[in-house]
Amino acid sequence: PNPSKSIINVNNLNNDYNILTVSNINGSVIKQISILNKLNISVDIENMDNGMYFLHFFNKKGVVTTQKFIKN
């Protein structure tokens, strides 16, 4: 769910993605997660401050796909 208080679920990942980073609105990386060969992941955001964050999905070719979410 977006916004969320504790967990962000990402489903149906493309097998081409290998790294997920979570960054804050200032661009600082909060978390980096290996997602190679995973179809679904859950990201724990409970200990993060409230605000807007970005999920950056990196594929093997260096292309980045970005999604935003709100922690409240």
Side-chain angles (χ1 to χ4, degrees), residues 12-45:
N12 302 318
L13 284 169
N14 181 339
N15 281 335
D16 195 36
Y17 295 123
N18 56 0
I19 296 175
L20 166 66
T21 63
V22 179
S23 64
N24 64 18
I25 194 78
N26 297 321
S28 298
V29 175
I30 308 297
K31 293 184 180 209
Q32 183 169 322
I33 304 165
S34 175
I35 57 173
L36 188 61
N37 298 323
K38 294 185 180 180
L39 295 176
N40 304 304
I41 61 164
S42 295
V43 180
D44 182 3
I45 62 167

